[in-house]
Amino acid sequence: MSKKIITTKAESKLGPKVISISNRKGGVGKTTLTTVMAEELANAGYSVVMLDLDSQTDLTDINLSQKNDSKFFDLLTGQKALEEVVVELPGKGDKKIITGSARVDEIQTGVSNTLTLIKRSP
């Protein structure tokens, strides 16, 4: 008897799930895997929100045909609300994206600088 790996939303009694795909090396398929998984999960009846945290914004570029001004960077810096940065994607199923920004690296730099200042405080 085969084991069912993916269940429909109605079959699942658990809350939202987070799937993180990361690797320091480029060109290993992170963007492709994320896009394919999101498509398949949406087709299976799940609501999917992809979050593009890469400063190259390839996930955004692959999934959106037009430019979008609302970005994850704007959400993190308090310039926009969550509802303003989530973009509905066309196609079958409930699939959305929070678009990436080349400026997301500024957040990491800011956090690193803040942590360095905290360490140095007497």
Side-chain angles (χ1 to χ4, degrees), residues 3-4 12 16 18 21 27 29 31-32 78 82 84 90-91 98 101-104 110 114 117:
K3 185 176 180 181
K4 190 172 184 179
S12 176
V18 174
I21 300 170
T31 301
T32 302
L82 180 61
E84 296 176 284
I98 298 176
S101 169
R103 297 182 66 196
V104 77
T114 301
L117 289 173

Side-chain angles (χ1 to χ4, degrees), residues 67-71 74 80 99:
K67 292 288 181 184
N68 185 290
D69 291 334
S70 296
K71 301 185 183 318
D74 300 326
K80 294 196 176 179
T99 60

Side-chain angles (χ1 to χ4, degrees), residues 35-54:
T35 300
V36 171
M37 281 182 59
E39 186 73 27
E40 291 301 320
L41 288 168
N43 289 342
Y46 287 90
S47 295
V48 178
V49 179
M50 295 181 286
L51 175 58
D52 190 352
L53 292 175
D54 190 342

Side-chain angles (χ1 to χ4, degrees), residues 79-103:
Q79 298 174 41
K80 294 196 176 179
L82 180 61
E83 299 79 27
E84 296 176 284
V85 297
V86 176
V87 179
E88 300 248 356
L89 295 172
K92 183 180 174 187
D94 182 10
K95 192 171 62 169
K96 300 173 181 74
I97 189 168
I98 298 176
T99 60
S101 169
R103 297 182 66 196

